[in-house]
Amino acid sequence: LNCIPRMIVKIYLKGIENFGNYITITDKICIFSEDVCKNIVLSSNKIWKKLKMIPFRSYDQNFIGNMILGNTNGLIISNFFSDYKLRYLIKNSWDDIKILRLDDNRNNPGSFMTVSNFHTILGRNLQKKTIQKIKSYLKTSVYLYENNFFTINKFNFMIFENSCLISPVYLEYYLQIPLYCTTVSNGCNYPGLALLFNKNICLLNSSTNNNELKVINKFIN
């Protein structure tokens, strides 16, 4: 599969290693916790101009990276979002966006699913109607994966096109599809805490070492 190489951007949030909790990106938008991420100088890099920037203040939702997940077709959001916050998100996103606010007890989509533009993997028991809605909104194939040893989520299992990056902690339990395995941020076992990417850009913590970077380059390119 031929891919355009992504621009690697290392970012540093003062006092915060796990920026994946505070930022969500797709090919179209970047949603972020404004107070936590204010040290990122987004306007200085022209690559950011390709993304619609949507800030949330900490009193709105601080762990925004865990509460919103999506792709170029739609977003899945926590049912903690009020109608006001939902309208704010719709107003500031792209015109034909579809946003699904979860209506069962799964409050944070980042804690039970991982998604790309092609595939969605769900790691917990969900109501059948919720699974069908997620498939309809994101317009992807949907795979259910249950395992007694770990739960699929955006932090331990990342998917891009037809390849996956998994936490070294769980590698032995999931060997059925092509996998890349690495720590991030110089030893963090959960890639999604310090790695975000879309078709144009890859965000890494500034402490990412060369061995980790080699694996990540193979994964996204």
Side-chain angles (χ1 to χ4, degrees), residues 31-36 54-65 67-68 78-86 88-89 92 108:
I31 305 169
F32 61 99
S33 174
E34 186 175 41
D35 292 344
V36 177
I54 306 177
F56 274 81
R57 294 195 175 99
S58 61
Y59 60 79
D60 290 325
Q61 305 296 343
N62 208 0
F63 292 96
I64 206 75
M67 302 179 76
I68 300 177
S78 168
N79 58 25
F80 284 138
F81 280 84
S82 65
D83 289 343
Y84 170 79
K85 293 167 188 172
L86 178 59
Y88 168 80
L89 190 57
N92 288 281
N108 294 316

Side-chain angles (χ1 to χ4, degrees), residues 92-146:
N92 288 281
S93 300
W94 63 94
D95 291 340
D96 59 344
I97 189 173
K98 297 183 66 177
I99 300 178
L100 172 63
R101 181 168 54 185
L102 297 171
D103 57 4
D104 55 19
N105 61 352
R106 307 296 190 231
N107 288 329
N108 294 316
S111 66
F112 67 85
M113 64 183 287
T114 187
V115 63
S116 73
N117 288 332
F118 300 92
H119 308 293
T120 299
I121 302 179
L122 304 175
R124 287 185 186 171
N125 289 323
L126 294 170
Q127 296 180 15
K128 187 174 181 180
K129 66 176 183 178
T130 301
I131 296 172
Q132 291 301 319
K133 284 182 179 180
I134 290 173
K135 183 177 182 179
S136 172
Y137 277 65
L138 298 180
K139 298 180 182 178
T140 66
S141 58
V142 172
Y143 301 92
L144 304 178
Y145 185 75
E146 293 294 332

Side-chain angles (χ1 to χ4, degrees), residues 165 180-182 210-220:
L165 182 72
Y180 294 88
C181 177
T182 186
N210 288 335
N211 288 334
E212 293 168 341
L213 188 57
K214 287 178 182 177
V215 177
I216 293 167
N217 259 318
K218 291 179 181 178
F219 167 58
I220 63 173

Side-chain angles (χ1 to χ4, degrees), residues 37-55:
C37 300
K38 61 185 177 183
N39 291 321
I40 304 178
V41 186
L42 303 178
S43 60
S44 66
N45 195 318
K46 64 181 180 180
I47 194 72
W48 289 104
K49 295 180 180 179
K50 296 182 179 180
L51 296 177
K52 180 92 171 184
M53 309 304 295
I54 306 177

Side-chain angles (χ1 to χ4, degrees), residues 200-214:
N200 294 312
I201 190 171
C202 174
L203 304 181
L204 297 170
N205 194 284
S206 58
S207 59
T208 302
N209 64 47
N210 288 335
N211 288 334
E212 293 168 341
L213 188 57
K214 287 178 182 177

